Amino acid sequence: MKSKHLKLKHLIMGVALAAFFLTSIGSVWSGYRMNVASIKENTLETNRVYAQKLATTASLYLEEAFQVLGYSANHLKSKMDDKNALNSETERLKMQDNMFNSVFITNAEGLVLSVTPPAEEVQGQVLAAVETEEALSKKEPFVSKPYEGSTGRLLIFISSPIFSETNEYLGMVAGTIYLKERNVFNALLGEHFYHDGSYVYVVDSDGRVIYHQDPSRVDDIAMSNKVVQAVVSGENGAQQVVNTRGIEMLAGYSAVPLTGWGVVAQRPLDVALEPSFDRVQDVIIKSIPLMLISIIIVLWAAARIANPLQRLATLTEESLETKNVEGLKSVRGWYFEVYYLKSALIRSLTFLQGQVSYFKDQSTTDPLTGVTNRRTMDAMLAEWLDNKLPHALILLDLDHFKSVNDTYGHAVGDKVLQFLAQNMQAVARDGDICCRYGGEEFVLLLPNTTAEEAGQVAERLRHNLAHTISPCGRKVTLSAGVAVYPQMADTAEKLIEAADGALYLAKQAGRNQVMVAEQENKLKNVLK
């Protein structure tokens, strides 16, 4: 007898397929969201550290500028009437390190006594700008706000007062930075521009842009930007923000206390998340064959489950007519079929949870230190070996790190590890890769680098660390072993083993030193 109702086999197939696809979509979406959150967090932290590093660089530049100008001011105090001496000093300052676009000297009334390069609009004129009047009235080291100078350029200047031996105010010596032309900021910050959409900009205490990769943005007021509001208030940090042009950014920021400036390093959100989209597409494409196999298994299992139940339905119909109760009792298997249905779903969920685990494992950065992790290091070494790219490996760890944890606690120990990672990134060159190998052991991978060059990098890091107070309140030291491919090893394992051997001998030889693997054999002979 035909029925208009759906057959149980079709219902089971429909439910099973629906559950499979919904669970798959949910798991992929959940994995994607987790990956997005991880990328955001890592990008924000990277930009925060980066902005802090650049703010420190800017502070050092300002301190150096004040020292240079202060030296000149002291040198000029007895030569304010010597035109040749003044011209010579401005030329020297202009040529020294290219710190300034121009240099000028004024008397106490603001009359320009000398300027380099020569400018008729300025030479012999009294500077009437509010900023120069403020510098003259304060009679102290001064950094101006952006303003349009007599030559029509947008500029800021850094000045130092000139006092006589009797402490009489004689004027000032100042260096200018042309904000819309190539200037010292390009040298300090321009090289940090990324071609993936990331960029750095600097604002003054009023939120006015004084440096930007795009010169047309210089002099823009960005005070409506929450990041700018935070950094000009003296805060350091990172956050997701919509910039003044309506673009979502992942921004890190750090203040320059000396002037009230703020440095912002940011990357567009869509650019940062682009790898997530590619990764999801890659996972889906690679999963299609397995999904097809899983669907076939589900359909087959549904048919197998339906057959006993259809027999049960037939026996039930016959029992109504023949009162064959014993026939119904003979059907054993209801829970057996339910068990198989549940197993099919569990197998499907196991597969999908495997996909979630895949997304979790995509993180390539060590969350504590911000450098790449062991998985990334292994992948990079494998790629370089496949391409037969010559490279050096520096294996290093902190000396007596256990005593730091035992004495100051693990929280301080973590800060010391972060301190080491920051110093590694500071000495790393373009193309070098900083990795956390495990615990207090770290690795620097240096492509196309000789043993001598790698030893110099390691020695520079060792020296910086040994001469800097760490977060635990005292100096910490490191020992390092250097090995190069292909001269010292033909596999990644042997390369690490060679560097580890050199590190061991560096420890044995007294710690706080760098040992190159080819030096290892010589030292072994000495030890014998």
Side-chain angles (χ1 to χ4, degrees), residues 172-190:
M172 66 176 174
V173 56
T176 65
I177 299 173
Y178 298 159
L179 297 182
K180 291 195 175 184
E181 300 177 27
R182 187 163 185 83
N183 55 50
V184 68
F185 288 132
N186 295 102
L188 293 175
L189 308 176

Side-chain angles (χ1 to χ4, degrees), residues 136-402:
L136 291 168
S137 64
K138 286 190 174 182
K139 303 177 182 179
E140 61 184 25
F142 180 77
V143 179
S144 75
K145 294 184 180 299
Y147 73 99
E148 187 173 308
S150 302
T151 60
R153 292 183 173 96
L154 183 69
L155 57 86
I156 60 175
F157 70 86
I158 303 171
S159 65
S160 181
I162 304 172
F163 291 97
S164 69
E165 293 290 352
T166 59
N167 207 32
E168 176 188 359
Y169 181 62
L170 303 177
M172 66 176 174
V173 56
T176 65
I177 299 173
Y178 298 159
L179 297 182
K180 291 195 175 184
E181 300 177 27
R182 187 163 185 83
N183 55 50
V184 68
F185 288 132
N186 295 102
L188 293 175
L189 308 176
E191 64 185 45
H192 304 285
F193 173 68
Y194 292 121
H195 294 285
D196 59 2
S198 301
Y199 61 91
V200 175
Y201 66 91
V202 182
V203 295
D204 70 359
S205 58
D206 294 329
R208 186 183 302 273
V209 178
I210 60 174
Y211 171 76
H212 198 286
Q213 307 298 145
D214 179 2
S216 67
R217 298 292 304 277
V218 174
D219 204 34
D220 284 357
I221 300 295
M223 205 61 183
S224 60
N225 188 317
K226 292 182 179 179
V227 163
V228 174
Q229 294 172 12
V231 76
V232 299
S233 299
E235 299 178 18
N236 302 318
Q239 60 178 288
Q240 182 176 336
V241 68
V242 177
N243 68 8
T244 54
R245 298 199 170 186
I247 301 173
E248 283 194 277
M249 292 287 184
L250 299 175
Y253 50 92
S254 184
V256 182
L258 194 62
T259 57
W261 294 352
V263 179
V264 181
Q266 62 184 16
R267 188 180 187 190
L269 178 62
D270 58 347
V271 174
L273 297 184
E274 188 173 344
S276 291
F277 302 129
D278 297 337
R279 200 167 293 150
V280 168
Q281 291 176 357
D282 185 56
V283 169
I284 292 175
I285 291 173
K286 291 181 178 179
S287 300
I288 288 176
L290 186 57
M291 291 176 66
L292 292 174
I293 293 172
S294 299
I295 290 172
I296 292 172
I297 292 174
V298 168
L299 295 177
W300 174 81
R304 293 296 299 269
I305 291 170
N307 287 336
L309 295 176
Q310 287 176 346
R311 181 170 176 269
L312 179 61
T314 301
L315 287 175
T316 301
E317 184 70 22
E318 291 177 354
S319 295
L320 292 175
E321 295 178 357
T322 62
K323 298 182 180 180
N324 187 10
V325 178
E326 293 301 321
L328 290 175
K329 290 181 180 181
S330 66
V331 177
R332 305 290 183 184
W334 171 257
Y335 295 102
F336 184 75
E337 282 79 19
V338 170
Y339 171 79
Y340 270 90
L341 179 58
K342 291 173 65 177
S343 297
L345 292 175
I346 290 174
R347 286 195 299 271
S348 297
L349 288 174
T350 301
F351 162 72
L352 295 170
Q353 288 171 352
Q355 302 305 302
V356 173
S357 297
Y358 172 83
F359 282 110
K360 288 180 180 178
D361 291 339
Q362 295 308 298
S363 175
T364 60
T365 304
D366 176 55
L368 174 64
T369 61
V371 298
T372 57
N373 58 21
R374 173 73 177 275
R375 185 186 310 108
T376 306
M377 183 196 81
D378 291 340
M380 188 58 65
L381 281 174
E383 180 182 340
W384 288 0
L385 285 169
D386 288 342
N387 294 326
K388 300 190 181 305
L389 175 71
H391 58 273
L393 182 145
I394 303 173
L395 179 62
L396 57 94
D397 73 357
L398 291 170
D399 298 328
H400 305 298
F401 180 69
K402 183 177 183 300

Side-chain angles (χ1 to χ4, degrees), residues 50-207:
Y50 205 40
Q52 187 175 31
K53 176 182 177 181
L54 296 181
T56 300
T57 301
S59 293
L60 292 174
Y61 161 75
L62 290 168
E63 291 173 2
E64 182 181 359
F66 281 135
Q67 289 176 358
V68 169
L69 294 172
Y71 176 83
S72 290
N74 186 60
H75 176 69
L76 292 170
K77 62 186 178 183
S78 61
K79 302 178 180 181
M80 294 296 285
D81 296 326
D82 187 339
K83 184 69 173 179
N84 291 332
L86 296 180
N87 290 339
S88 177
E89 187 64 16
T90 57
E91 288 178 6
R92 184 189 69 81
L93 285 173
K94 173 64 176 67
M95 297 301 295
Q96 179 175 319
D97 298 330
N98 290 320
M99 296 181 69
F100 308 112
N101 291 102
S102 68
V103 180
F104 64 88
I105 300 171
T106 74
N107 64 13
E109 288 73 38
L111 176 66
V112 177
L113 304 177
S114 177
V115 60
T116 299
E120 294 180 359
E121 303 91 340
V122 175
Q123 181 71 47
Q125 302 297 315
V126 175
L127 299 178
V130 174
E131 288 74 14
T132 53
E133 291 179 353
E134 184 179 359
L136 291 168
S137 64
K138 286 190 174 182
K139 303 177 182 179
E140 61 184 25
F142 180 77
V143 179
S144 75
K145 294 184 180 299
Y147 73 99
E148 187 173 308
S150 302
T151 60
R153 292 183 173 96
L154 183 69
L155 57 86
I156 60 175
F157 70 86
I158 303 171
S159 65
S160 181
I162 304 172
F163 291 97
S164 69
E165 293 290 352
T166 59
N167 207 32
E168 176 188 359
Y169 181 62
L170 303 177
M172 66 176 174
V173 56
T176 65
I177 299 173
Y178 298 159
L179 297 182
K180 291 195 175 184
E181 300 177 27
R182 187 163 185 83
N183 55 50
V184 68
F185 288 132
N186 295 102
L188 293 175
L189 308 176
E191 64 185 45
H192 304 285
F193 173 68
Y194 292 121
H195 294 285
D196 59 2
S198 301
Y199 61 91
V200 175
Y201 66 91
V202 182
V203 295
D204 70 359
S205 58
D206 294 329

